[in-house]
Amino acid sequence: MTSSSPIDPAREPWNLARRFACRLTDVLGDTLREVVVVGSASLGDWQAESDIDLVCVVERELDSRARDAVAPLHEKSREAHGHTIDAMYVTRDGLAKGPDALRSVVATVAGALHPESSDGPMNWPTWLNIVQCGVRVPLAEDGAMAVVEPGSAGFPIEEETAREGAIRFSRANLGQYWSNRIRLSEQIYLADGATHPVSAFEVEWMSLGPARLLATVRTGRIVSKSEGGELAAAQWPDFRPHLTRVLEARRGPDTGAAWSREDLERSLGLARLCVDLGTGT
């Protein structure tokens, strides 16, 4: 999404986001200034089991009373809406400063509220997601959802600054988190005597997670896991059959298909390639 074209409000993620924003307005009142959808829904990659990720711009930092009011909404979101709905609560001043200058924010992760979160969504890719393809949720009943325009009121983020930050973050994440995560996967699933069955999650995570970060390093865009896999398949034909199967499984119904050690080895080979290229090693 690259324009402020209208969003079909009947689609499930937008309908749920609007309903949840109404609940937030009920408990926060005028403290809540803006709500924008980020993550897989904003990137056109929302799946049946996906969560919904929000950035909520607030007039002032949430005090204990406000936190106590919003926490149950997130904790019970899967029960109430069929999907976990997470959010980061940040002031306009905090958005303008950027994540490097913020000590912490109020954020929920997997439905649990953290009063002083310093990771999770508090990173440059989230800032870039807002201005590149975030979807604004109207707080008025008659308002229309639309893609956020760079430089629009309510989101004081310089896109070039966010892009540079997202590239730095992606390089560091590949070199730190993903390098360690690859080794851990090898130890758990592929070491001599390993008995853990290879899961669909592990194959998908290792195939698509590093690929999307490499795409950001190379293009300066926030891409979904699926787009990251598509870009990798286009660049490396040897991995195309594997990635085609992974993407089909991600998008299709749960078929209970089994994944083998060889499948995971392919995923890890792709992950190592993305790490090497993304970090310049």
Side-chain angles (χ1 to χ4, degrees):
M1 293 182 216
T2 58
S3 72
S4 57
S5 57
I7 303 298
D8 180 3
R11 287 196 58 214
E12 186 174 10
W14 314 133
N15 181 41
L16 295 181
R18 291 197 69 154
R19 287 164 54 192
F20 196 81
C22 287
R23 296 295 309 278
L24 288 176
T25 301
D26 289 341
V27 300
L28 293 178
D30 291 341
T31 298
L32 184 64
R33 309 304 296 176
E34 302 278 359
V35 174
V36 62
V37 180
V38 294
S40 60
S42 72
L43 295 166
D45 195 30
W46 198 75
Q47 310 296 323
E49 297 301 317
S50 294
D51 297 338
I52 295 175
D53 299 301
L54 306 175
V55 173
C56 298
V57 184
V58 290
E59 184 69 22
R60 55 188 174 277
E61 294 183 5
L62 300 188
D63 58 20
S64 60
R65 180 176 296 182
R67 295 196 301 269
D68 289 345
V70 302
L73 300 182
H74 293 287
E75 290 169 2
K76 299 176 181 178
S77 58
R78 178 165 289 275
E79 176 185 344
H81 304 286
H83 299 268
T84 300
I85 302 178
D86 282 324
M88 175 178 72
Y89 295 87
V90 60
T91 63
R92 290 186 79 253
D93 182 57
L95 282 181
K97 288 179 178 178
D100 292 345
L102 293 177
R103 184 177 63 84
S104 65
V105 294
V106 176
T108 63
V109 178
L113 186 138
H114 301 269
E116 295 183 343
S117 176
S118 58
D119 48 22
M122 200 182 83
N123 55 54
W124 281 115
T126 298
W127 263 244
L128 187 58
N129 191 161
I130 292 170
V131 295
Q132 283 191 340
C133 49
V135 176
R136 202 170 195 163
V137 183
L139 302 183
E141 289 187 10
D142 58 350
M145 301 185 75
V147 177
V148 173
E149 288 282 5
S152 62
F155 303 102
I157 300 170
E158 293 290 337
E159 184 172 4
E160 185 58 33
T161 300
R163 182 182 295 110
E164 292 171 355
I167 292 171
R168 289 196 309 273
F169 176 92
S170 298
R171 286 189 186 278
N173 198 248
L174 284 167
Q176 298 167 16
Y177 171 82
W178 280 105
S179 293
N180 292 328
R181 186 65 175 75
I182 290 167
R183 287 191 289 270
L184 179 62
S185 186
E186 290 172 332
Q187 293 168 5
I188 293 175
Y189 296 100
L190 303 181
D192 292 341
T195 58
H196 290 277
V198 174
S199 67
F201 171 83
E202 193 69 11
V203 170
E204 178 183 314
W205 187 233
M206 302 308 299
S207 296
L208 305 182
R212 72 181 301 203
L213 290 175
L214 179 61
T216 294
V217 170
R218 288 180 156 181
T219 69
R221 294 191 301 112
I222 295 298
V223 307
S224 67
K225 293 185 183 74
S226 291
E227 186 179 355
E230 291 166 353
L231 292 171
Q235 178 165 10
W236 300 303
D238 288 349
F239 286 104
R240 188 176 299 152
H242 172 75
L243 285 166
T244 297
R245 187 178 173 215
V246 170
L247 291 169
E248 287 176 348
R250 172 174 171 77
R251 293 162 176 162
D254 182 7
T255 60
W259 296 91
S260 68
R261 287 171 58 100
E262 289 73 21
D263 293 322
L264 181 58
E265 287 171 350
R266 294 294 288 170
S267 300
L268 292 172
L270 175 60
R272 283 190 289 269
L273 177 60
C274 291
V275 168
D276 290 345
L277 292 173
T279 58
T281 58

